[in-house]
Amino acid sequence: MKSAIVLGAGMAGVSTALALQGRGWAVTLVDRKAPGRETSFGNAGIIQSEAVEPYAMPRSIRELVDIAFGQTNDVFYAFRELPFHIGALFRYWWHSEEGRHRAAAIAWASLIAQATSTHEKLIERAGAGNLIRKSGFRVLHRTVAELETALKDAERKKEAYGIGYAALSASEMAAAEPALKTGGAGAVHWLDSWTVSDPGGLVESYADLFQRSGGRFVHGDAATLRRVGAGWTVMTEEGPIEAEHAVFSLGPWSSDTLRKFGHHFPMVYKRGYHAHYRSPEQLNAPVMDSENGYLLLPMLAGTRITTGAHLARFHAGPAYNQLEHAEEAAKDLFDLGQRIEDKPWQGTRPCMPDMLPVIGASQHEKGLWMNFGHGHQGFTLGPASADVLATMMDGGMPAIDMRPFRPDRY
Ligand SMILES: Cc1cc2nc3c(=O)[nH]c(=O)nc-3n(C[C@H](O)[C@H](O)[C@H](O)COP(=O)(O)OP(=O)(O)OC[C@H]3O[C@@H](n4cnc5c(N)ncnc54)[C@H](O)[C@@H]3O)c2cc1C
């Protein structure tokens, strides 16, 4: 029987463990925390079949100036942080040019197309249907001009990729979400995306499925991975574990931890924050306040606000200004109620400068594999990217072109 250690039990790692197990492999999943406690815990929980194009960096001078002067809440960075990540940011900017972004989108869309079907199988097997809403989510626009631009873009995506949307007038938006104080200028309703009421809980339920099906989860430190003979060993609370293959699915920790194997992945770290509120009324589905760059999400833990991207060094301290702006902007839309936690949650979207995840074999070490760097959509793409990686590890040929994702492009 083939064997693997999967390092990291976020959405990417747990899905990878399940995909290999499904192919008859003996798999040990290793994390220093319980499954689904980091980035895959605190996100917006949207399985985003509408996210058919990766998130590019703004290229126009106006948008860049707006970001630089804090005129947008989508993206924030502190000038003093810039020298520490300017190289990766510059590469991201370069790859965001229209033609390069179009090429990346072809590869990206081929994975996104598999997102809901691969999740669906796991949701069913895990018995996690109670966490899933299949009613899409709505992007509210405050001005007619913004709504018109968004509708044009939605129509373009519908024609190019076949994804479903509905245009909602202000009154239709207000009727769809009676808890909102206003329908704004109207909304784009993405119909095919699924939303999750407890993202960490979904990962946990997938990890339970893995263990019920005979897989082993142990606490351990991925940084202790080293070669033994033709295989690998890692130190865990249950002693050293050995296997023929090892997979890195450490989300934003992947680049640092892979250095000792001669890999230098330039990651763009996009911090995000969330807080929960005890709201008197519930939303039916997530609402994005587009012009203010945040989401309002009905979660089991309360209404969750998630913020846009704070571009920072991985270990930089928090900056709560985006969350504070979101709370202020939300007052016009919704009665948030009391904040539940004293301290907001923070996590980091693991983004690659070319906007594509790293999926495939190490060019330096035999039996070392990678599945990380899914950026804004790792929760969506976990099972789809696990499926193609497991196919490759098992000696098969995935149905999609894997060349854009290969690790040796860096
Ligand atoms: C605010 C916000 C909103 C988001 N919204 C969405 C959304 O709606 N939809 C979507 O698709 N994506 C969303 N994302 C992105 C998504 O959350 C991430 O892309 C995804 O969770 C990454 O999953 P992962 O498994 O790669 O990483 P993680 O979930 O971070 O898992 C990595 C694991 O590695 C473990 N680890 C790290 N170092 C070690 C070590 N040395 N030893 C052992 N274990 C280690 C960690 O404990 C962790 O469990 C959002 C992100 C943020 C921040």
Side-chain angles (χ1 to χ4, degrees):
M1 188 190 258
K2 294 179 189 171
S3 60
I5 298 164
V6 176
L7 300 164
M11 184 54 94
V14 172
S15 302
T16 303
L18 278 161
L20 288 168
Q21 183 185 60
R23 285 161 177 80
W25 287 48
V27 184
T28 306
L29 180 61
V30 175
D31 200 300
R32 56 190 172 198
K33 292 193 171 177
R37 292 292 101 188
E38 290 285 0
T39 331
S40 301
F41 167 83
N43 57 57
I46 309 180
I47 298 175
Q48 293 189 260
S49 53
E50 93 295 343
V52 281
E53 292 170 354
Y55 202 98
M57 185 190 259
R59 296 264 312 178
S60 78
I61 301 292
R62 206 203 82 197
E63 285 171 300
L64 290 171
V65 168
D66 281 354
I67 294 170
F69 289 96
Q71 296 301 305
T72 161
N73 204 38
D74 293 353
V75 186
F76 163 75
Y77 70 89
F79 274 112
R80 66 176 184 284
E81 287 284 325
L82 261 188
F84 299 103
H85 54 156
I86 190 80
L89 283 180
F90 179 73
R91 289 171 80 156
Y92 181 24
W93 178 83
W94 188 83
H95 282 285
S96 298
E97 180 272 329
E98 203 182 333
R100 295 180 199 108
H101 180 246
R102 205 176 310 119
I106 292 169
W108 179 261
S110 69
L111 270 186
I112 285 282
Q114 314 298 322
T116 42
S117 59
T118 47
H119 267 287
E120 184 156 42
K121 287 183 199 136
L122 298 183
I123 291 164
E124 200 173 296
R125 287 179 58 212
N130 58 320
L131 300 178
I132 313 296
R133 288 181 227 97
K134 295 188 176 174
S135 50
F137 73 103
R138 299 177 181 88
V139 182
L140 179 143
H141 291 275
R142 302 239 184 177
T143 66
V144 173
E146 294 284 353
L147 178 65
E148 279 171 2
T149 307
L151 287 171
K152 263 191 214 137
D153 194 51
E155 186 58 29
R156 178 184 69 77
K157 286 180 177 156
K158 182 181 176 183
E159 277 172 20
Y161 304 97
I163 48 170
Y165 82 95
L168 303 186
S169 66
S171 57
E172 286 167 333
M173 179 60 184
E177 288 290 0
L180 288 185
K181 295 176 187 170
T182 163
V188 175
H189 183 179
W190 294 110
L191 300 169
D192 306 330
S193 306
W194 296 354
T195 67
V196 179
S197 57
D198 178 3
L202 185 65
V203 181
E204 232 174 279
S205 75
Y206 289 179
D208 287 348
L209 169 66
F210 166 71
Q211 291 181 85
R212 279 202 308 280
S213 311
R216 186 174 174 204
F217 170 76
V218 285
H219 289 284
D221 184 357
T224 62
L225 186 81
R226 62 182 177 80
R227 187 171 276 297
V228 282
W232 298 95
T233 183
V234 67
M235 273 312 295
T236 73
E237 281 180 5
E238 297 177 22
I241 306 266
E242 291 188 14
E244 289 166 73
H245 298 260
V247 184
F248 268 80
S249 289
L250 297 174
W253 291 270
S254 302
S255 173
D256 280 356
T257 320
L258 272 162
R259 281 220 175 95
K260 73 173 188 189
F261 298 109
H263 287 283
H264 297 277
F265 290 102
M267 282 185 116
V268 176
Y269 297 109
K270 292 193 184 180
R271 185 85 59 75
Y273 302 86
H274 88 215
H276 291 107
Y277 305 82
R278 221 173 265 116
S279 312
E281 287 186 82
Q282 286 293 302
L283 293 166
N284 292 323
V287 173
M288 182 172 198
D289 180 358
S290 178
E291 282 86 325
N292 290 292
Y294 70 94
L295 275 147
L296 285 168
L297 305 139
M299 294 282 178
L300 291 181
T303 304
R304 178 180 287 186
I305 283 186
T306 56
T307 64
H310 169 197
L311 294 167
R313 270 179 306 159
F314 188 39
H315 300 291
Y320 297 128
N321 48 315
Q322 285 168 297
L323 183 62
E324 284 159 10
H325 176 102
E327 285 176 334
E328 197 51 39
K331 284 183 187 160
D332 309 339
L333 287 187
F334 181 66
D335 188 358
L336 270 180
Q338 283 291 99
R339 208 201 260 189
I340 295 174
E341 306 93 354
D342 294 335
K343 196 170 164 237
W345 173 89
Q346 68 176 56
T348 302
R349 299 168 182 91
C351 301
M352 306 311 296
D354 64 1
M355 295 160 277
L356 297 176
V358 177
I359 309 170
S362 161
Q363 68 271 34
H364 301 315
E365 296 279 356
K366 193 161 179 291
L368 189 67
W369 301 82
M370 297 168 205
N371 189 11
F372 64 86
H374 301 83
H376 288 250
Q377 272 86 35
F379 190 72
T380 301
L381 289 176
S385 62
D387 190 51
V388 288
L389 179 71
T391 301
M392 287 195 294
M393 290 177 68
D394 208 33
M397 178 84 90
I400 64 170
D401 180 5
M402 293 304 294
R403 285 171 297 182
F405 308 112
R406 61 187 204 281
D408 70 1
R409 69 191 198 268
Y410 287 107

